[in-house]
Amino acid sequence: MLEDWLIEVRAAPTLEALEALRVRLLGKKGELTRKLKALKDLPPEARREEGKKLNEAKHVLEAAIKERAEELKKAAIAERLRAEAEDVTLPGLGFPAGNLHVLTQVMGELVGIFERMGYRAVLGPEVEEEFYNFDALNIPPHHPARDMHDTFWLKPAPGFEARFKRPMLLRTHTSPIQVRYMASHTPPFKIVAPGKVYRHEATDATHEAMFHQLEGLVVGDAITMADLKGALLSMARALYGPTARVNFRPSYFPFVEPGVEFEVWWENPKTGEGRWLELGGAGMVHPAVFRAVDDLREEKGLPRLYEGKTGFAFGLGVERIAMLRYQIPDIRYFFQNRLRFLEQFREEV
Ligand code: YSA
């Protein structure tokens, strides 16, 4: 009898089954309990003997149930640990990798092309003084060229008037960097200056109120238009391949003389069709700009350096180059920050 019960106890599959078994054997109406209750009907001799046997059996059974309960509890914990374990050897999920904005990539490529030709890349402020953006570039007040650049003028916040010693604006082109660089450096030098520029213009497929330009400036002795054309041709070939050509059309910018607009012959690699694309303005640095720079240097107590120097400068729109390269039909796509657009320009890593 006891042996059978012990077998059952040790085989109880769960804590619930074990509890049911305990009730069945040791509960108020349990099998063993009933036997113990029945002792009173036995003659005294047999009662003592049977009572001893049954009480021992009860203790053995209780100990066995306790032992089995411990076993089952341990097994349950082990099972939970197994089920909830993290597999630290699994490879991670990984983060989606970001990528540089397509315009940042194109700007980097342009700057790299010029750096390989020995140019130094420099930056200038986006919040600029009227003097550098216009006056020093031979665009005096009321000059009609100011109308070509619809300007965002800045007003000082109350209490900051003292910081605005001269009228301030958001630069309308990267050309003010020419003046800033010349005022603090000794020629000869070759620089390019990439950056954001701002114009208070109505937006359409090819015009934005904020866009990017790349400025170039080379100053030295006996620099000519041929050097300018050579520099732009090298850029065009690096960008669009050996069939690229550069064309100059006479144009007017107050800070160059002669001034040109330059266009690049671009052949669509898919169709083989070619066309001229206007990329920007360029020319030979106007003597009035050299004079303004020397006046500024004199004000700062620096020697005049630019009389008799020659130089060329150019400025181009970066969006236009990117639009052409990737057949992007609308400049506004660059700045809408839609991932579906931006993710197309993931760099290979
Ligand atoms: C000219 C002669 C130099 O010696 C040096 C620089 C220059 C360029 C001059 N500073 C300038 O800003 N000329 S520009 O007004 O014709 O702009 C140059 C280029 O910027 C344009 O050819 C065009 O590609 C781009 N651009 C102009 N307005 C834009 C624009 N791109 C997008 N949105 C706009 N609103």
Side-chain angles (χ1 to χ4, degrees):
M1 166 193 79
L2 178 59
E3 281 310 308
D4 293 343
W5 287 344
L6 288 176
I7 287 169
E8 271 194 83
V9 166
R10 288 180 193 133
T14 62
L15 281 167
E16 291 73 36
L18 184 66
E19 175 60 11
L21 188 58
R22 191 193 63 78
V23 171
R24 201 190 93 207
L25 303 177
L26 301 173
K28 269 191 195 152
K29 291 178 188 163
E31 288 175 35
L32 185 63
T33 317
R34 262 189 279 125
K35 285 192 193 298
L36 282 164
K37 278 186 186 156
L39 283 174
K40 63 179 189 317
D41 303 328
L42 292 177
E45 261 313 288
R47 188 189 309 161
R48 196 175 314 127
E49 204 163 305
E50 186 66 12
K52 201 173 152 211
K53 224 172 77 190
L54 286 176
N55 270 316
E56 266 172 23
K58 189 179 172 194
H59 286 136
V60 170
L61 204 54
E62 277 172 349
I65 288 172
K66 203 171 153 203
E67 195 181 323
R68 181 67 186 150
E70 289 302 322
E71 263 175 36
L72 286 169
K73 271 184 213 159
K74 274 194 201 144
I77 289 170
E79 169 57 23
R80 225 180 115 186
L81 283 175
R82 197 195 56 73
E84 292 176 9
E86 298 284 349
D87 181 353
V88 292
T89 64
L90 272 179
L93 293 177
F95 285 94
N99 60 283
L100 292 178
H101 191 279
V102 54
L103 287 174
T104 311
Q105 292 179 38
V106 171
M107 294 257 268
E109 190 179 331
L110 279 170
V111 169
I113 289 170
F114 283 101
E115 279 178 334
R116 285 190 288 282
M117 292 196 264
Y119 286 65
R120 178 180 176 198
V122 300
L123 299 174
E126 289 170 31
V127 173
E128 186 52 282
E129 292 177 21
E130 175 188 31
F131 172 77
Y132 289 102
N133 197 85
F134 291 126
D135 305 72
L137 287 167
N138 198 26
I139 315 174
H142 314 298
H143 191 288
R146 289 203 183 193
D147 301 338
M148 282 163 23
H149 298 205
D150 295 302
T151 309
F152 287 108
W153 293 94
L154 299 176
K155 276 197 302 212
F160 286 83
E161 291 82 0
R163 298 243 186 123
F164 274 56
K165 290 196 192 83
R166 307 208 247 183
M168 305 282 276
L169 44 79
L170 294 180
R171 67 180 179 194
T172 59
H173 53 172
T174 42
S175 300
I177 301 176
Q178 292 188 27
V179 180
R180 286 185 173 273
Y181 194 85
M182 285 193 275
S184 52
H185 291 82
T186 303
F189 54 72
K190 307 200 270 189
I191 57 162
V192 279
K196 292 185 175 67
V197 302
Y198 303 84
R199 291 190 195 174
H200 194 294
E201 276 184 16
T203 297
D204 62 27
T206 53
H207 293 84
E208 257 293 357
M210 186 280 293
F211 58 100
H212 296 78
Q213 286 188 343
L214 181 81
E215 191 80 9
L217 174 68
V218 172
V219 180
D221 295 308
I223 306 282
T224 69
M225 284 289 266
D227 298 315
L228 169 62
K229 201 159 191 185
L232 293 175
L233 185 62
S234 300
M235 178 196 76
R237 296 217 162 131
L239 276 177
Y240 301 122
T243 56
R245 281 183 282 156
V246 171
N247 187 50
F248 283 174
R249 273 190 291 117
S251 185
Y252 172 69
F253 300 97
F255 35 99
V256 282
E257 178 59 36
V260 296
E261 264 167 322
F262 65 95
E263 41 195 23
V264 167
W265 179 256
W266 176 78
E267 277 176 16
N268 187 328
K270 282 187 201 137
T271 62
E273 275 170 47
R275 59 184 171 118
W276 288 107
L277 287 146
E278 191 197 303
L279 284 191
M284 300 307 292
V285 179
H286 198 293
V289 176
F290 284 145
R291 252 193 324 273
V293 167
D294 268 339
D295 289 349
L296 189 60
R297 290 178 62 89
E298 209 165 72
E299 260 176 52
K300 291 184 181 175
L302 297 169
R304 298 180 77 94
L305 288 178
Y306 287 88
E307 214 176 305
K309 293 285 172 223
T310 49
F312 68 73
F314 60 86
L316 53 88
V318 177
E319 278 77 2
R320 206 158 271 191
I321 290 177
M323 287 168 80
L324 182 64
R325 153 87 53 94
Y326 298 111
Q327 304 285 295
I328 297 165
D330 194 315
I331 193 172
R332 290 166 290 198
Y333 290 158
F334 289 121
F335 309 114
Q336 286 166 338
N337 281 339
R338 297 210 176 119
L339 285 179
R340 267 179 49 150
F341 172 77
L342 297 173
E343 281 173 347
Q344 296 177 89
F345 307 101
R346 234 176 236 294
E347 297 155 289
E348 298 296 326
V349 283

